[in-house]
Amino acid sequence: MTAKRPKLHHLNWNLLHTFLVIVEERSITRAADRLLVRQPSVSAALQRLEETLGGQLVQRDSRRFVLTKRGELLHKECVDIYRSVARIGEKLSEEHDELTGLVRVQLITHMVLPAFDRALSLMSRRHPGVTVRVEVASSQDIVRSVSQRLSPFGFCLLPNPLAGLNCRHLLREEFGILCGRDHALHGRAGVPLHELADEPFIALACGQDGALEPMVSLREGAGLGSRTVGASPNLEEVARMIAAGMGIGILPLASVQDAIDTGTLWNLSGAGQELGADLYFVSSPAMGLSAAELAFQRLFEDMLEAESAPPEIIDNPLIAGLTLPLA
């Protein structure tokens, strides 16, 4: 790439931060995984940065990843910029933030939601005086608590949005019908549901009753659970009983993927047998939120918006969106 005069008025932190992560990971693929974006987006960001700066930054092929002289100089400056901006965030939080209070969040067991995790992390840095209490409950209990204004908001599984509550759809959580390594059906996929109807069943206790609990709909819709031989409100204990060969059970796949990968659990479901339930963020329009609760809700919603932003917008919680006046 022939060196050209840098177009510094087009330079922003999103491109610099992407380049910093690429260098730290020494891989476009690993950088994309870390930034939670697709690989072509990272490659395009690097190309745009090279065009903006008028020269090649990285020499790369299938066997090597080497910074050019220009890339080495830029990397050093990026590290210094990152440290400076991080110090600004820490100083503002420590010296000027006086927000205090309690944020109570209710959620279903083993919820996998990166935006929520990032909101917790950012909350602790921006508002160190705020205490967050996370409580695990069934979807039915979460809805009841929010409806009665005992809790400001919660994350639960619902078959449909509920009248009288603010219900924001977050994702479709996929479930599977699972058995253990020593189960007679281990190794089979796409087992017809009628063959599973009389199998001993292990149930999440929160899915045993309650019209709002989608676990009940999943179990009954699949025609399973006529003979329940084990139950627990703890997902890990349900997985333990299934792995021990006591029976089959329905669990969220994201929560037990490691056990499936190692063969401890086996997914009996096949194509066309997908089970799922919708995860919602619910709150009451009639409940006045405290300053701490409002701050957390805004941070969480910001993280959701960042996930849906264009790929080149990096959702680093301290510095996303910061444009550097380098011209």
Side-chain angles (χ1 to χ4, degrees), residues 72-127:
E72 291 176 352
L73 292 173
L74 179 63
H75 177 245
K76 181 179 182 301
E77 293 300 323
C78 284
V79 171
D80 292 340
I81 293 170
Y82 184 90
R83 289 172 179 167
S84 297
V85 177
R87 282 195 297 270
I88 292 173
E90 293 170 357
K91 294 248 179 232
L92 291 177
S93 175
E94 293 171 359
E95 298 178 9
H96 301 286
D97 186 82
E98 299 179 355
L99 187 63
T100 60
L102 171 68
V103 177
R104 181 187 177 206
V105 183
Q106 290 190 315
L107 48 79
I108 56 172
T109 181
H110 282 70
M111 181 182 75
V112 179
L113 189 63
F116 174 67
D117 298 337
R118 289 194 290 271
L120 288 176
S121 176
L122 186 53
M123 188 76 182
S124 68
R125 289 199 294 271
R126 284 193 180 174
H127 308 296

Side-chain angles (χ1 to χ4, degrees), residues 152-228:
F153 30 64
F155 298 86
C156 60
L157 297 174
L158 297 174
N160 295 292
L162 298 173
L165 293 180
N166 296 324
C167 300
R168 178 167 182 170
H169 182 262
L170 300 175
L171 55 83
R172 179 75 170 173
E173 186 162 18
E174 300 301 325
F175 288 74
I177 304 172
L178 305 169
C179 71
R181 192 193 306 270
D182 298 327
H183 195 279
L185 295 174
H186 184 276
R188 290 184 58 186
V191 179
L193 293 177
H194 67 83
E195 292 188 27
L196 302 174
D198 296 326
E199 286 290 327
F201 192 81
I202 313 297
L204 271 173
C206 63
Q208 289 293 88
D209 49 36
L212 291 174
E213 194 61 59
M215 290 292 291
V216 175
S217 299
L218 292 176
R219 188 184 73 234
E220 294 179 350
L224 306 179
S226 60
R227 186 158 63 96
T228 299

Side-chain angles (χ1 to χ4, degrees), residues 17-282:
H17 180 242
T18 300
F19 173 72
L20 183 60
V21 175
I22 290 172
V23 176
E24 290 175 350
E25 296 294 335
R26 304 194 68 77
S27 165
I28 298 290
T29 301
R30 289 195 297 271
D33 291 340
R34 177 170 160 186
L35 294 169
L36 302 179
V37 298
R38 296 181 183 276
Q39 181 177 335
S41 299
V42 176
S43 297
L46 177 58
Q47 181 179 354
R48 190 158 58 252
L49 182 61
E50 289 177 332
E51 292 174 351
T52 299
L53 295 178
Q56 189 174 5
L57 300 173
V58 179
Q59 294 177 348
R60 59 195 183 278
D61 55 32
S62 60
R63 295 189 299 267
R64 63 174 186 162
F65 182 99
V66 180
L67 290 178
T68 64
K69 183 65 175 178
R70 182 178 292 242
E72 291 176 352
L73 292 173
L74 179 63
H75 177 245
K76 181 179 182 301
E77 293 300 323
C78 284
V79 171
D80 292 340
I81 293 170
Y82 184 90
R83 289 172 179 167
S84 297
V85 177
R87 282 195 297 270
I88 292 173
E90 293 170 357
K91 294 248 179 232
L92 291 177
S93 175
E94 293 171 359
E95 298 178 9
H96 301 286
D97 186 82
E98 299 179 355
L99 187 63
T100 60
L102 171 68
V103 177
R104 181 187 177 206
V105 183
Q106 290 190 315
L107 48 79
I108 56 172
T109 181
H110 282 70
M111 181 182 75
V112 179
L113 189 63
F116 174 67
D117 298 337
R118 289 194 290 271
L120 288 176
S121 176
L122 186 53
M123 188 76 182
S124 68
R125 289 199 294 271
R126 284 193 180 174
H127 308 296
V130 173
T131 300
V132 178
R133 186 170 70 201
V134 177
E135 302 172 355
V136 176
S138 69
S139 295
Q140 184 182 26
D141 288 340
I142 292 171
V143 169
R144 182 186 300 114
S145 180
V146 173
S147 298
Q148 296 177 356
R149 289 183 280 178
L150 301 176
S151 181
F153 30 64
F155 298 86
C156 60
L157 297 174
L158 297 174
N160 295 292
L162 298 173
L165 293 180
N166 296 324
C167 300
R168 178 167 182 170
H169 182 262
L170 300 175
L171 55 83
R172 179 75 170 173
E173 186 162 18
E174 300 301 325
F175 288 74
I177 304 172
L178 305 169
C179 71
R181 192 193 306 270
D182 298 327
H183 195 279
L185 295 174
H186 184 276
R188 290 184 58 186
V191 179
L193 293 177
H194 67 83
E195 292 188 27
L196 302 174
D198 296 326
E199 286 290 327
F201 192 81
I202 313 297
L204 271 173
C206 63
Q208 289 293 88
D209 49 36
L212 291 174
E213 194 61 59
M215 290 292 291
V216 175
S217 299
L218 292 176
R219 188 184 73 234
E220 294 179 350
L224 306 179
S226 60
R227 186 158 63 96
T228 299
V229 298
S232 173
N234 188 298
L235 184 146
E236 292 173 337
E237 296 308 317
V238 172
R240 184 203 301 271
M241 287 187 276
I242 295 174
M246 291 178 57
I248 64 174
I250 298 176
L251 291 176
L253 294 176
S255 299
V256 294
Q257 191 59 53
D258 288 345
I260 294 174
D261 291 342
T262 59
T264 304
L265 295 177
W266 177 264
N267 186 6
L268 297 167
S269 308
Q273 294 180 323
E274 290 83 2
L275 301 175
D278 293 309
L279 181 69
Y280 284 85
F281 178 67
V282 297

